[in-house]
Amino acid sequence: KFPKEHFLIRSVKITGLVEAQVAQRVPRLLKLKPPVTVGIYAKPDEVELKIMAKHYSKKKAARMVLRIENEIRRKFKEKVMGTDNDTLSSVVGGLLKKKKKTLAIAESCTGGLVSNRVTQTSGSSDYFLGGIVCYRNTIKIQALGVSEASLKKEGAVSENVALQLAKNIRARFGSDYGIGVSGIAGPSGGTKRKPVGLVYIAIASPNKNICREYHFFGSRTEIQSHAANKALDLLRLELLNLG
């Protein structure tokens, strides 16, 4: 009777890069032959590197997997979002919980999708206070105190307004972190200066406020999804920097 082979699989999830960029950095790993191999799979907004190892000794198989995982982590650093069943939502939730911090969200073009992603993780009431979908400018002014002058001068889709959304939701809800999202999800509404897919994502925290400008591509649903994902990833990186 032959001893049984142990088969171990570990998925390492990478965000912020597309499949081709990930493949470029790990050509050696993707060429490995059994007993340990690495496959690459593109998913919406993340790339998965799947390590598969088999060995008669479970310990040896686990060691092989760990060695490759560590190499991937060294190559991709903070772009490694998690492993196996981790999602951006669960990872961000775990970081907020660990640091005993709370979050509130003000979103425009994503229509509540960022809040929806956050609450996909069970127990999110521990750290997620709530959010406001402020689609119209009048609501941005009334509910969140965004300056009318900024809206007139720079428009709702601007760095300044996204920052005000993040700072003001944080102040109104008394949370440690605030996220502000404003953009053009399309397919209409874009201009030469502000094309469809332009999204500003701001994060307000006790130490600093940041805002990033992104240009996403795809359908309305895809742009909203990319933006929601990026908002959570930006918060994840901010939470990691704290530590």
Side-chain angles (χ1 to χ4, degrees):
K1 193 174 169 231
F2 292 106
K4 197 165 111 312
E5 275 196 306
H6 293 280
F7 195 58
L8 289 187
I9 297 178
R10 164 65 54 101
S11 283
V12 182
K13 298 176 171 184
I14 293 156
T15 88
L17 294 171
V18 296
E19 187 183 4
Q21 292 170 310
V22 173
Q24 257 166 10
R25 292 196 197 180
V26 287
R28 187 189 75 78
L29 296 185
L30 296 175
K31 287 193 196 110
L32 289 174
K33 299 273 185 283
V36 64
T37 58
V38 177
I40 186 167
Y41 305 91
K43 306 225 159 132
D45 293 304
E46 69 177 43
V47 178
E48 210 174 282
L49 286 172
K50 200 173 261 185
I51 310 161
M52 290 160 281
K54 51 181 191 200
H55 201 278
Y56 296 116
S57 149
K58 201 173 180 175
K59 261 194 181 145
K60 278 233 170 90
R63 272 212 298 272
M64 287 196 253
V65 168
L66 189 63
R67 198 177 70 237
I68 302 291
E69 185 189 333
N70 287 338
E71 189 174 332
I72 292 169
R73 286 182 182 276
R74 275 199 304 275
K75 283 227 157 58
F76 294 100
K77 299 193 170 63
E78 77 287 345
K79 291 201 182 318
V80 173
M81 177 271 286
T83 57
D84 298 338
N85 297 321
D86 287 339
T87 62
L88 255 180
S89 169
S90 71
V91 168
V92 165
L95 286 165
L96 284 165
K97 230 173 170 163
K98 197 170 117 194
K99 294 176 182 293
K100 297 188 168 49
K101 300 292 182 200
T102 54
L103 171 67
I105 299 169
E107 42 189 321
S108 180
C109 67
T110 40
L113 193 55
V114 188
S115 301
N116 174 271
R117 295 263 166 104
V118 170
T119 56
Q120 279 170 359
T121 297
S122 168
S124 47
S125 59
D126 287 352
Y127 47 83
F128 181 53
L129 303 185
I132 292 180
V133 178
C134 44
Y135 222 66
R136 285 185 89 146
N137 284 353
T138 46
I139 301 303
K140 289 182 180 76
I141 296 162
Q142 288 163 21
L144 279 159
V146 171
S147 127
E148 207 168 336
S150 308
L151 287 164
K152 278 206 176 96
K153 191 174 158 228
E154 296 157 76
V157 181
S158 61
E159 183 176 330
N160 190 353
V161 168
L163 274 166
Q164 285 184 52
L165 289 175
K167 289 195 289 205
N168 296 5
I169 191 93
R170 182 177 168 248
R172 302 242 157 148
F173 281 37
S175 60
D176 297 296
Y177 285 84
I179 293 179
V181 184
S182 187
I184 301 158
S188 61
T191 62
K192 225 185 169 121
R193 211 165 63 82
K194 292 186 180 180
V196 166
L198 170 67
V199 179
Y200 289 95
I201 300 171
I203 291 181
S205 73
N207 319 325
K208 59 174 177 173
N209 304 309
I210 60 160
C211 186
R212 300 272 184 273
E213 179 185 306
Y214 296 100
H215 292 267
F216 300 117
F217 299 98
S219 66
R220 182 179 179 83
T221 312
E222 284 167 335
I223 287 169
Q224 288 175 320
S225 181
H226 293 324
N229 223 67
K230 194 51 92 176
L232 286 187
D233 201 36
L234 204 54
L235 177 59
R236 177 181 73 90
L237 295 172
E238 278 308 299
L239 286 162
L240 287 174
N241 284 346
L242 249 192

